[in-house]
Amino acid sequence: MAIKVKCFASMREYLDLSEREIGIDGIKTVADVWRSVAGGKPMPENTLCAVNQSQANEEFTVNSGDEVAFFPPVTGG
Amino acid sequence: MAIKVKCFASMREYLDLSEREIGIDGIKTVADVWRSVAGGKPMPENTLCAVNQSQANEEFTVNSGDEVAFFPPVTGG
Amino acid sequence: MASRHNPTKNTRDHTHSVRIITEKLDPWHELTVYQNEHLTKGQFGATATFVGTMRDFNEGDGVTGMTLEHYPGMTEAQLQTIIDEAHEQWTLDDVLVVHRVGPLLPGDPIVLVACWSAHRAAAFDACRHLMEALKSRAPFWKNETLTDQSNRWVEKNTDGYSPDNNSV
Amino acid sequence: MASRHNPTKNTRDHTHSVRIITEKLDPWHELTVYQNEHLTKGQFGATATFVGTMRDFNEGDGVTGMTLEHYPGMTEAQLQTIIDEAHEQWTLDDVLVVHRVGPLLPGDPIVLVACWSAHRAAAFDACRHLMEALKSRAPFWKNETLTDQSNRWVEKNTDGYSPDNNSV
């Protein structure tokens, strides 16, 4: 099984990553997911994380089949 | 010359007076206008007065040619 | 290419901003027409509007009809004053106030207030302020017809900032 | 003859209250259609609405275009949550939120928020609260194209309650 990772807006450009699946091996938290896809890049200040489309923090536990997203502060409306 | 007196809403019904002209003789203030048209009836609490379509109090001086109005609290909107 | 926002504050003619009408009020149609005629596309970023509509109930009683009386002349003057004050207090692109008078039925819109501005705080604040000012200072009076055919004057508008009040 | 106001608080389905669209947004047409389909005449006395529209300027620069990105699925869920919270906090007849995504031009409406209630305080309060909640919690992002053809992400929405802020 795998974890689906999504990035939006400036985060998509920062990591050059729109959507990707990663294996669960070695992944326990949102922070682990970041390290797995960020290629050593630091997480920008104000980065927002979501697990299964609900906001979550970096310590949030991630399970196989989850959808994890990273994005900057929202600017709609 | 004369003063035009107008009453609106429940005040029109209270004084049975919609619009009327009265002479200026003996009239100095809004309160004098009231006494001239009210037939002895007391001015209800919360009565609003206007002179030439601007709100005024009972002591406001009235001149020949003025339009004086009495009405209850407004309830539009 | 207008890259700067510069509404001509306090210097323009606002007489087109007030309409007292006897025909049915369609607020969304009014807004469509007014915006096309008077607003510049790309200038305003925020539009806040309020519509007051006749209910079929008030203070626990069923209401079947209403007549809106006003003081012609003073009503328009008071609304102009209220709008001028709003333009003094906030940076607004435009304001529209339309109020219906005469006989109305439940479900009929009574009043429309709309504010256009660059930023949303001014539009929200001004719209609400205008509505409260209209309800407390513009000479309109409501006479309700109840389900038993009796009539009564609405005696007082209540404050619209309290969450538990009973007014509209 | 409904002589008592009794919106079915917190028990109704609000899924029709959220729409994410790619086509042009005509807020006044949306309101006409939605009100005819979902609101009961005579029940509501107050309608407060807000429309956010794309300006041709921002932070001192000319803006010629914009692309609205969103997080499909999470956006709708967040807006539903925000609307459910509003129904908990205020007695509302109905709420409508329509947000456009994709490419936009100056003058294009971006977002519509509307609240219907018996009394005006709830409509005003809920409309403004919904708009602030949308701007701070719903996953939308704006990318602006400037007059020199460069692009930039809008970095942050500001608080909409301060009269001196620069957001919409």
Side-chain angles (χ1 to χ4, degrees), chain C residues 49 56 120 125 128 132 167, chain D residues 2 49 120 125 128 132 167:
Chain C
T49 80
D56 57 16
R120 68 189 189 281
D125 285 342
R128 192 159 191 174
E132 295 309 307
S167 82
Chain D
T49 80
R120 69 191 188 280
D125 286 342
R128 191 158 192 176
E132 295 309 308
S167 81

Side-chain angles (χ1 to χ4, degrees), chain D:
Chain D
M1 182 192 62
S3 64
R4 272 286 173 188
H5 183 70
N6 187 24
T8 50
K9 197 177 176 182
N10 301 332
T11 56
R12 65 192 295 177
D13 175 24
H14 303 305
T15 50
H16 59 277
S17 291
V18 173
R19 286 183 60 215
I20 310 296
I21 64 173
T22 52
E23 69 273 18
K24 223 170 167 70
L25 167 57
D26 179 343
W28 318 127
H29 180 69
E30 290 281 340
L31 287 161
T32 304
V33 171
Y34 192 85
Q35 206 167 278
N36 284 339
E37 274 183 28
H38 295 287
L39 275 293
T40 305
K41 272 199 169 197
Q43 274 248 322
F44 64 92
T47 313
T49 80
F50 179 82
V51 178
T53 303
M54 192 191 153
R55 291 174 316 227
D56 57 15
F57 62 96
N58 191 27
E59 293 173 21
D61 298 305
V63 182
T64 60
M66 180 183 277
T67 301
L68 248 303
E69 186 173 330
H70 78 304
Y71 185 169
M74 182 168 174
T75 308
E76 293 83 347
Q78 283 285 80
L79 291 174
Q80 284 296 344
T81 301
I82 289 165
I83 290 171
D84 290 345
E85 288 168 5
H87 277 283
E88 293 279 341
Q89 191 167 351
W90 292 280
T91 303
L92 302 171
D93 288 80
D94 213 331
V95 168
L96 173 63
V97 175
V98 185
H99 203 295
R100 192 172 165 193
V101 294
L104 282 84
L105 292 172
D108 282 356
I110 302 168
V111 62
L112 162 67
V113 172
C115 294
W116 289 264
S117 66
H119 305 297
R120 69 191 188 280
F124 271 126
D125 286 342
C127 183
R128 191 158 192 176
H129 172 85
L130 281 163
M131 192 59 208
E132 295 309 308
L134 181 154
K135 288 187 83 92
S136 65
R137 294 162 56 192
F140 295 103
W141 300 275
K142 285 175 179 156
N143 189 282
E144 298 177 330
T145 304
L146 305 185
T147 47
D148 65 1
Q149 306 296 331
S150 65
N151 288 285
R152 70 178 175 201
W153 292 100
V154 175
E155 292 198 349
K156 198 177 183 313
N157 277 333
T158 52
D159 169 47
Y161 286 97
S162 153
D164 295 314
N165 78 68
N166 255 343
S167 81
V168 149

Side-chain angles (χ1 to χ4, degrees), chain C residues 92-104:
Chain C
L92 302 171
D93 288 79
D94 214 332
V95 168
L96 174 63
V97 175
V98 185
H99 203 295
R100 193 172 164 194
V101 294
L104 282 85

Side-chain angles (χ1 to χ4, degrees), chain C residues 63-140:
Chain C
V63 182
T64 60
M66 179 182 276
T67 302
L68 248 303
E69 186 172 330
H70 78 304
Y71 183 169
M74 182 169 175
T75 307
E76 291 85 344
Q78 283 285 80
L79 291 175
Q80 284 296 345
T81 300
I82 290 165
I83 290 171
D84 290 345
E85 289 168 5
H87 277 283
E88 293 279 340
Q89 192 168 350
W90 292 281
T91 303
L92 302 171
D93 288 79
D94 214 332
V95 168
L96 174 63
V97 175
V98 185
H99 203 295
R100 193 172 164 194
V101 294
L104 282 85
L105 293 172
D108 283 355
I110 301 167
V111 62
L112 162 68
V113 172
C115 293
W116 288 265
S117 66
H119 305 297
R120 68 189 189 281
F124 271 126
D125 285 342
C127 183
R128 192 159 191 174
H129 172 86
L130 281 164
M131 193 58 210
E132 295 309 307
L134 181 155
K135 287 187 83 93
S136 65
R137 293 162 57 192
F140 294 102

Side-chain angles (χ1 to χ4, degrees), chain B:
Chain B
M1 281 290 282
I3 291 163
K4 187 184 284 185
V5 184
K6 292 183 174 187
C7 296
F8 294 95
S10 57
M11 184 62 74
R12 183 167 38 73
E13 297 177 349
Y14 178 66
L15 293 186
D16 192 20
L17 167 63
S18 171
E19 185 171 333
R20 185 178 144 190
E21 299 219 337
I22 60 168
I24 191 70
D25 288 352
I27 304 287
K28 288 218 156 43
T29 66
V30 168
D32 294 334
V33 175
W34 175 268
R35 276 186 289 273
S36 171
V37 300
K41 288 185 179 173
M43 188 184 284
E45 222 187 334
N46 297 327
T47 293
L48 300 174
C49 314
V51 175
N52 297 329
Q53 307 189 349
S54 289
Q55 229 175 297
N57 61 27
E58 289 180 59
E59 287 72 46
F60 199 89
T61 301
V62 173
N63 297 303
S64 184
D66 282 352
E67 175 174 304
V68 178
F70 301 102
F71 45 83
V74 303
T75 58

